[in-house]
């Protein structure tokens, strides 16, 4: 059953069903209106519709008059046949067998008669009529053109019709037909039967026509929407080079043009943002080089310059100066190594975020002699942009600890819960009063910027003399895919460092 229902859950299926139902309902409404209108028109105008019998049969009666002389026997046989066929000729009106069928000459003599109550041949027909019917008799007898064929209702519920038998030159006689008027309820029932039959046919036709029309219309519409969806998927992945080609001038075409314009604007915005980010990164590196490497190299140069004079006077003091200069050069080398690593996090691409963080903390501990504990929870696949951002945040946080905290222990933890990934870096250093920190520095600003770019945030918790805790959170930005956790989810980084050293 789901296989049959699933196509109609899509827009194309829904539109096809919608068009089909609308077509069926529209055709049914039109059919009901037409049939109901025909019924309402037929009931009060029944004599008019019954006069069609006279108009249809009168021309045949003229063949039994030769030069004005009637063939009585032929007329009698014809009336007998007409008496039997009459009920089947009236369609939905369902007239019963005629009460009277007669052919009367212009003098009023009955030439032939049939029906349930036939007239006696040779009798005077006008003598048996009411005053109103006699007037109609005179009209029919004088109707050379045969234009006055009509039925009139009688007091007993019957209809009496008289039509001139004429060859358009003179009147040979009059055809008389008297029938029982159809029952209105029976007439309504006949129309309902006809309506029920036509409803089945019209429903099938309307369903097929509406379904085909809806399918064709919906197919074109869904194709245009699918093109827009495919482009949106590429845009969501950062590929703004693709655009949607839709030359239509309707609302969907206008929306497509707006989306293309938006994609172009986003592409330009990302280019500008990348340029700004590149410029900010250069400025940060320039400040870091100025604050660390440049100062250390300058200090080393000063030590070496002083040593040149001491070599002639005090060898021991000169040796101390050289050792101090060597120490400064090594510190500058470590600073340069850290900066190079920030520019090219190859370990992240080759080993993944978990291994990269473990390796980063191990090297950081070797450089700073600060113990680091790493705790990695059960991991799932993260988007590459998320991994890079978290790695950078870890670098920034550890760099801040090394420069400012005077800590002896750092705890780094990484956890993924549902769609949220959380990185925590906590130290036991001197801390600072968050409320009094007016200038957070490039490191904290960079962390905030990276997380905001991913729809996340960074929280800094600190109290003077009690350390700093940095918590970075953002969404995973990728579908669920379970990964087995690494062994020893809580590893003491200092122990691993000792073994590696």
């Amino acid at each position: 059953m789901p296989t049959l229902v699933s196509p109609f859950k899509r827009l194309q299926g829904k539109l096809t069903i919608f068009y089909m139902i609308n077509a069926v309902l529209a055709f049914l409404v039109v059919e009901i209106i037409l049939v109901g209108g025909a019924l309402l028109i037929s009931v009060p105008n029944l004599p008019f519709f019954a006069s069609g019998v006279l108009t249809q049969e009168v021309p045949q009666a003229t063949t039994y008059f030769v030069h004005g002389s009637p063939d009585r026997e032929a007329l009698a046989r014809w009336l007998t046949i007409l008496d039997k066929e009459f009920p089947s000729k009236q369609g939905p009106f369902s007239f019963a067998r005629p009460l009277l069928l007669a052919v009367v000459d212009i003098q009023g003599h009955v030439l032939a008669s049939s029906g349930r109550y036939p007239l006696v041949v040779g009798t005077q027909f006008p003598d048996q009529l009411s005053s109103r019917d006699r007037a109609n008799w005179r009209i029919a007898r004088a109707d050379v053109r045969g234009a006055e064929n009509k039925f009139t209702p009688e007091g007993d519920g019957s209809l009496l019709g008289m039509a001139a038998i004429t060859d358009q030159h003179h009147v040979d006689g009059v055809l008389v037909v008297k029938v029982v008027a159809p029952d209105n309820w029976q007439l309504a029932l006949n129309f309902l039967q006809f309506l029920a039959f036509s409803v089945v046919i019209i429903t099938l036709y309307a369903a097929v026509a509406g379904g085909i029309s809806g399918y064709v219309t919906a197919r074109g519409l869904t194709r245009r929407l699918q093109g827009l969806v495919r482009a949106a998927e590429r845009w969501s992945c950062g590929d703004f080079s693709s655009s949607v080609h839709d030359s239509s001038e309707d609302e969907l075409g206008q929306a497509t043009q707006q989306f293309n314009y938006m994609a172009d604007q986003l592409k330009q915005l990302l280019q500008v943002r990348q340029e700004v980010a590149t410029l900010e990164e250069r400025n940060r590196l320039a400040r870091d080089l100025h604050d660390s490497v440049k100062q250390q190299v300058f200090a080393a140069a000063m030590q070496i310059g002083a040593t040149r004079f001491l070599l002639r006077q005090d060898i021991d003091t000169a040796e101390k100066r050289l050792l101090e200069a060597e120490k400064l050069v090594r510190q500058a080398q470590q600073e340069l190594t850290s900066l190079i690593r920030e520019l090219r996090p190859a370990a992240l691409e080759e080993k993944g975020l978990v291994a990269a963080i473990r390796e980063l903390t191990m090297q950081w501990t070797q450089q700073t002699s600060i113990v680091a504990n790493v705790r990695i929870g059960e991991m799932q696949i993260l988007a590459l942009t998320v991994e890079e951002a978290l790695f950078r945040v870890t670098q920034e946080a550890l760099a801040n600890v090394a420069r400012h905290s005077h800590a002896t222990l750092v705890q780094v933890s990484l956890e993924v819960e549902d769609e949220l990934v959380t990185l925590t870096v906590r130290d036991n250093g001197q801390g600072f009063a968050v409320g009094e920190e007016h200038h957070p520095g490039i490191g904290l600003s960079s962390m905030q910027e990276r997380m905001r770019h991913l729809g996340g945030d960074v929280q800094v918790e600190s109290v003077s003399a009690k350390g700093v805790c940095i918590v970075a959170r953002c969404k995973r930005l990728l579908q669920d895919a379970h990964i087995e956790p690494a062994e020893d989810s809580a590893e003491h980084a200092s122990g691993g460092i000792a073994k590696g050293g």
Side-chain angles (χ1 to χ4, degrees), residues 192-462:
L192 289 177
Q193 291 175 350
F194 173 75
L195 177 63
F197 174 76
S198 61
V199 161
V200 175
I201 302 300
I202 288 177
T203 299
L204 293 176
Y205 169 78
V208 173
I212 294 175
S213 175
Y215 177 79
V216 172
T217 303
R219 186 177 183 182
L221 181 60
T222 52
R223 279 183 174 180
R224 296 169 64 189
L225 289 174
Q226 287 172 356
L228 188 59
V229 169
R230 287 192 294 269
E233 289 177 350
R234 292 192 291 270
W235 296 339
S236 66
C237 296
D239 180 14
F240 294 98
S241 61
S242 60
S243 61
V244 186
H245 302 285
D246 192 337
S247 58
S248 301
E249 296 183 358
D250 56 12
E251 289 81 357
L252 184 56
Q254 295 174 5
T256 300
Q257 294 174 6
Q258 291 298 322
F259 274 112
N260 287 335
Y261 177 76
M262 179 189 70
D264 186 58
Q265 293 297 311
L266 286 174
K267 182 179 178 180
Q268 296 179 12
L269 178 62
L270 286 178
Q271 290 176 349
V272 172
R273 188 167 185 174
Q274 288 174 354
E275 293 174 358
V276 172
T278 301
L279 182 60
E280 290 180 351
E281 189 71 10
R282 289 176 178 176
N283 292 335
R284 186 184 69 83
L285 289 174
R287 285 194 295 270
D288 288 347
L289 289 172
H290 178 274
D291 295 340
S292 59
V293 178
K294 181 181 177 181
Q295 302 299 328
Q296 292 165 350
V297 171
F298 176 76
M302 294 294 293
Q303 294 290 344
I304 293 173
T307 304
R308 290 173 58 190
F309 296 98
L310 292 174
L311 283 174
R312 302 191 188 106
Q313 302 174 3
D314 190 348
I315 299 298
D316 294 334
T317 303
E319 184 177 359
K320 291 180 181 179
R321 296 278 186 175
L322 287 176
L323 290 176
E324 187 66 25
E326 181 182 6
K327 181 179 179 182
L328 291 171
V329 170
R330 287 181 179 178
Q331 290 178 352
Q333 182 181 11
Q334 291 177 354
E335 290 288 345
L336 287 174
T337 301
S338 299
L339 292 174
I340 291 172
R341 188 182 299 112
E342 290 181 8
L343 292 174
R344 188 172 57 89
L348 181 62
E349 298 182 2
E350 297 174 357
K351 303 177 183 179
L353 179 62
V354 174
I357 289 179
R358 293 188 188 281
E359 183 176 347
L360 173 66
T361 54
M362 183 182 299
Q363 293 176 355
W364 181 82
T365 298
Q366 290 176 342
Q367 294 172 4
T368 62
S369 299
I370 300 175
V371 178
N373 289 336
V374 179
R375 180 181 296 274
I376 307 295
E378 183 176 341
M379 291 299 297
Q380 295 174 330
I381 291 179
L382 307 178
L384 182 59
T385 53
V386 174
E387 289 190 346
E388 182 178 354
L390 293 174
F391 183 77
R392 294 298 192 188
V393 169
T394 305
Q395 283 183 322
E396 294 285 355
L398 292 177
N400 286 342
V401 172
R403 293 170 184 168
H404 309 297
S405 70
H406 302 291
T408 59
L409 176 65
V410 175
Q411 294 179 339
V412 179
S413 65
L414 181 66
E415 296 180 350
V416 177
E417 184 177 357
D418 296 331
E419 293 298 318
L420 192 67
V421 57
T422 303
L423 171 69
T424 304
V425 179
R426 184 189 303 273
D427 66 70
N428 64 348
Q430 64 183 1
F432 59 89
V434 177
E436 300 175 358
E437 187 69 19
H438 299 290
H439 183 66
I442 189 65
L444 291 177
S445 299
S446 176
M447 286 187 264
Q448 288 282 8
E449 179 65 23
R450 292 184 189 279
M451 289 295 101
R452 277 199 295 265
H453 181 67
L454 299 176
D457 64 347
V458 174
Q459 295 179 354
V460 179
E461 301 173 0
S462 178

Side-chain angles (χ1 to χ4, degrees), residues 67-146:
H67 303 296
S69 299
D71 186 344
R72 296 173 182 268
E73 294 181 0
L75 286 171
R77 289 194 298 271
W78 174 63
L79 290 178
T80 301
I81 296 172
L82 184 61
D83 183 22
K84 295 178 180 180
E85 294 180 352
F86 187 87
S88 62
K89 290 180 177 290
Q90 311 313 311
F93 295 104
S94 297
F95 290 99
R97 182 184 176 189
L99 298 176
L100 169 65
L101 286 171
V103 176
V104 183
D105 61 16
I106 58 175
Q107 286 79 28
H109 299 102
V110 178
L111 300 178
S113 182
S114 182
R116 286 189 286 178
Y117 305 104
L119 299 175
V120 177
V121 176
T123 59
Q124 278 289 325
F125 175 67
D127 296 340
Q128 306 177 43
L129 300 175
S130 64
S131 58
R132 185 188 63 176
D133 291 336
R134 287 177 184 175
N136 291 335
W137 154 255
R138 288 190 292 270
I139 293 173
R141 187 178 62 175
D143 184 17
V144 177
R145 298 181 60 186

Side-chain angles (χ1 to χ4, degrees), residues 42-52 95 149-153 159:
S42 299
V43 172
N45 295 284
L46 190 58
F48 171 78
F49 292 103
S51 65
F95 290 99
N149 299 342
K150 63 180 181 179
F151 277 83
T152 56
L159 299 174

